[in-house]
Amino acid sequence: MSQGRPSTRQLMLLGLAQAVLFVAGALLGRWLGLALGLDAFGSGGYSNSAVFGILLIGLGGGAGAQLARAWFTRKYGSPRS
């Protein structure tokens, strides 16, 4: 773990990791929703199953971004320092 401010390269790595894991988490949330019968993009409008499918996509994307941030903090320290 380094001390001081993270370099620009390290911060770009954080942004890339967050973007990739956000998309991966959202896709996992989508697939989990489909497996549970919660189609976020179904033709039924905003039914309960669609809303919960959207919720799973959002939770998956957010979890992926948080996972990337936790990895960065463990490896390089807090990006806010």
Side-chain angles (χ1 to χ4, degrees), residues 4-55:
R5 295 180 59 106
S7 68
T8 303
R9 180 185 173 281
Q10 291 171 341
L11 292 175
M12 288 294 291
L13 183 63
L14 171 62
L16 179 65
Q18 282 184 316
V20 168
L21 288 179
F22 176 84
V23 171
L27 285 173
L28 284 174
R30 168 84 170 133
W31 293 332
L32 178 63
L34 288 175
L36 296 173
L38 305 171
D39 189 5
F41 302 113
S43 62
Y46 286 110
S47 64
N48 286 340
S49 64
V51 170
F52 283 113
I54 293 168
L55 179 69

Side-chain angles (χ1 to χ4, degrees), residues 49-71:
S49 64
V51 170
F52 283 113
I54 293 168
L55 179 69
L56 282 175
I57 292 171
L59 288 174
Q66 290 301 313
L67 183 65
R69 191 167 186 86
W71 165 80

